[in-house]
Amino acid sequence: MFYNPWLFLQNEGRFTSGAGMTLLLGASAVALSLVCGFFGWMLKDSKLYALRWLGNAYVESLRNTPTLLYVYLIYFGLAEVRVQVPPFTSAMLALGVQGGAYVTEIIRGAFNAIREEQRQAARALGFRPLKSLLYIELPQMLRIAFPALGNQVVSILLGTSIASVVAVPELTYQSQIIGESTYQYFGVFSIDAILYIVIVQIIGVIWRTVERAWFAKWGTTV
Amino acid sequence: MNSLLPYFGVLLKGAFVTLELSALALLFSFVIGTLLGMGATSRVTPLRVIVKLYVEAVRSVPLLVQLFFAYYALPLVLGVNLSPYGAATLALSVYAGAFMSEAVRSGIESVGRDQWAAARSLAMGYRLTMLYIVAPQALRVTLPAASGIFIDLLKGASLTSIIGFVELLQTAVNVRNVTFTIAPLLAAGVLYFIMCFGLARVGYRIERALQYGGR
């Protein structure tokens, strides 16, 4: 017997709290990645060569190395200098800082997609660079970057499963615990997978709805 | 850093294991992706639906969960014991196969409909057209995407350490447990960077070399 239909109901508490933790960790990491991505973009499009180099180094080094490496680096590296960081924070840091490298490129792409005329028109109307960024460029950038950001949100959310390695009680960790106590790995990981699929589908629906409701009426401006 | 020198060979070997596992998974995923990609572009609706479901399901589930599934759940169902290496190869192939099928699909779709019509007028059937007309042109789109998938595999292979397979990252952790510095982890990071960044450059070269027209 490898599947017990009541498995979900019997362990509902663990599954739902795990899913909640996955969402919380995912949301925190996404928020951090947006901040990191914004700063990464500032560095990469800076006028100073040294800062541009730093931005490039940030993006390329983090995009070309696995997330798990950062989880271990934070875990072991901070232990070396006798700093204790809660598992949740270390996972959030690893996912957020690495996600930031991808977000940097998304923001940069969106900014470059805005035509130069928009900027010139803003200057002609007396917008200073900062105000023009806030009122003219950022709203349009958000629309351009929105689909790519959705993919990034999903990929960070799926990445949170790695946090189970440092014992953050998220969905995958809870599934492992249930699997170890019931030995019904097939059922447990099926439910685990289905929960992830449901969460990802919900995000997809939210994204499509926002796109239709907010951005569709803009047509093909920019 | 001096304490790391004797372990450099071990780390290199770990990098080689990571490359080997990823290359194997890439090979299998290419087979899976080609079959599924052809299914995704076929006229048979159920086939398209099945491929779409597969791709969506694989892309909505973390690779780590797929690894656990292959390692813990499948043996219970099928009654066969998979080694960590076998489970890792299986899960990575299935995972990359979904992305590869998308790459193959967009490759096939990049070839215009009129080419199919022209081939038809020359009395070429589906197989001949696919083999001699569509496939060579589809590769232009598929190959650069495949290099991106290979990079994802190299990074994803690090997760196989969690089911007990010793590749580059696990080697680095093992060395750390002897030397008690994070130097081996940093060294592993450099090796990952060299592999992935190098591959990205190769992919870019391939893309440039295969481009034609508009230059």
Side-chain angles (χ1 to χ4, degrees):
Chain A
M1 182 66 187
F2 56 80
Y3 186 64
N4 165 6
W6 306 112
L7 197 59
F8 179 73
L9 292 177
Q10 282 163 359
N11 298 284
E12 206 189 340
R14 274 194 188 279
F15 277 122
T16 45
S17 83
M21 185 55 89
T22 288
L23 286 175
L24 184 67
L25 180 58
S28 326
V30 164
L32 181 61
S33 79
L34 289 178
V35 175
C36 289
F38 192 79
F39 281 111
W41 169 55
M42 289 299 206
L43 285 177
K44 237 192 135 167
D45 273 1
S46 150
K47 279 179 187 149
L48 289 172
Y49 178 79
L51 291 185
R52 272 209 308 277
W53 190 88
L54 206 65
N56 264 322
Y58 166 62
V59 170
E60 294 303 337
S61 59
L62 274 102
R63 284 207 307 185
N64 287 307
T65 38
T67 317
L68 191 55
L69 175 71
Y70 294 99
V71 175
Y72 284 151
L73 270 179
I74 293 170
Y75 187 74
F76 292 127
L78 290 179
E80 204 165 288
V81 290
R82 292 179 192 281
V83 177
Q84 281 230 327
V85 176
F88 183 91
T89 316
S90 65
M92 186 190 80
L93 277 174
L95 287 165
V97 172
Q98 194 183 33
Y102 291 87
V103 175
T104 298
E105 290 297 294
I106 294 174
I107 297 180
R108 217 168 68 90
F111 185 78
N112 291 340
I114 294 174
R115 282 219 308 263
E116 191 56 36
E117 285 94 323
Q118 297 267 336
R119 231 154 282 146
Q120 290 165 356
R123 294 294 181 286
L125 290 170
F127 281 86
R128 299 248 166 87
L130 199 66
K131 262 203 152 166
S132 140
L133 180 67
L134 208 60
Y135 290 106
I136 310 292
E137 277 125 334
L138 271 182
Q140 302 191 63
M141 281 160 71
L142 184 63
R143 194 198 68 137
I144 299 166
F146 199 69
L149 281 179
N151 289 338
Q152 191 55 38
V153 168
V154 168
S155 107
I156 288 179
L157 196 98
L158 296 181
T160 57
S161 63
I162 293 172
S164 63
V165 178
V166 286
V168 177
E170 45 72 70
L171 196 43
T172 302
Y173 181 80
Q174 297 285 22
S175 304
Q176 273 177 282
I177 300 284
I178 302 167
E180 273 156 24
S181 60
T182 62
Y183 208 59
Q184 295 185 323
Y185 283 111
F186 185 82
V188 170
F189 284 123
S190 300
I191 294 170
D192 186 19
I194 289 169
L195 286 174
Y196 276 110
I197 291 176
V198 167
I199 293 174
V200 170
Q201 290 302 320
I202 290 173
I203 292 176
V205 168
I206 292 173
W207 236 254
R208 279 192 294 276
T209 311
V210 170
E211 221 170 344
R212 256 207 315 276
W214 286 358
F215 298 135
K217 59 180 178 241
W218 291 25
T220 50
T221 46
V222 177
Chain B
M1 212 58 199
N2 266 338
S3 62
L4 199 59
L5 275 176
Y7 299 105
F8 194 68
V10 188
L11 285 174
L12 266 184
K13 192 159 169 276
F16 189 73
V17 172
T18 286
L19 265 178
E20 185 191 289
L21 176 65
S22 309
L24 196 61
L26 187 78
L27 192 72
F28 287 137
S29 77
F30 196 72
V31 177
I32 298 173
T34 307
L35 291 175
L36 292 182
M38 277 159 61
T41 52
S42 83
R43 280 195 209 149
V44 190
T45 310
L47 219 55
R48 283 204 310 271
V49 171
I50 290 171
V51 173
K52 181 126 179 84
L53 282 178
Y54 172 85
V55 171
E56 276 296 309
V58 168
R59 290 207 301 194
S60 308
V61 176
L63 176 57
L64 184 57
V65 175
Q66 295 180 38
L67 277 165
F68 284 154
F69 208 88
Y71 189 59
Y72 293 114
L74 273 191
L76 289 180
V77 183
L78 301 178
V80 286
N81 249 326
L82 281 175
S83 64
Y85 186 70
T89 313
L90 179 67
L92 285 173
S93 305
V94 166
Y95 176 75
F99 292 89
M100 197 62 95
S101 92
E102 287 289 277
V104 171
R105 184 183 58 80
S106 58
I108 293 175
E109 281 173 356
S110 75
V111 181
R113 281 268 142 214
D114 38 356
Q115 302 222 18
W116 284 95
R120 193 85 193 86
S121 77
L122 294 170
M124 294 171 86
Y126 178 84
R127 264 171 54 189
L128 282 181
T129 312
M130 192 53 106
L131 201 60
Y132 291 108
I133 310 288
V134 177
Q137 303 184 73
L139 278 180
R140 250 178 336 129
V141 174
T142 306
L143 274 186
S147 85
I149 294 171
F150 197 16
I151 293 172
D152 277 345
L153 277 173
L154 283 173
K155 293 193 286 178
S158 68
L159 294 182
T160 63
S161 61
I162 300 170
I163 59 167
F165 182 61
V166 183
E167 36 64 72
L168 177 52
L169 190 57
Q170 188 57 47
T171 309
V173 171
N174 289 347
V175 173
R176 189 221 81 99
N177 290 342
V178 181
T179 60
F180 291 106
T181 62
I182 55 164
L185 288 171
L186 294 174
V190 172
L191 286 174
Y192 272 113
F193 181 81
I194 292 171
M195 289 193 289
C196 295
F197 192 70
L199 254 168
R201 301 302 298 176
V202 170
Y204 181 69
R205 283 274 178 81
I206 293 175
E207 197 174 351
R208 289 291 299 273
L210 294 179
Q211 253 173 16
Y212 61 72
R215 260 192 300 187

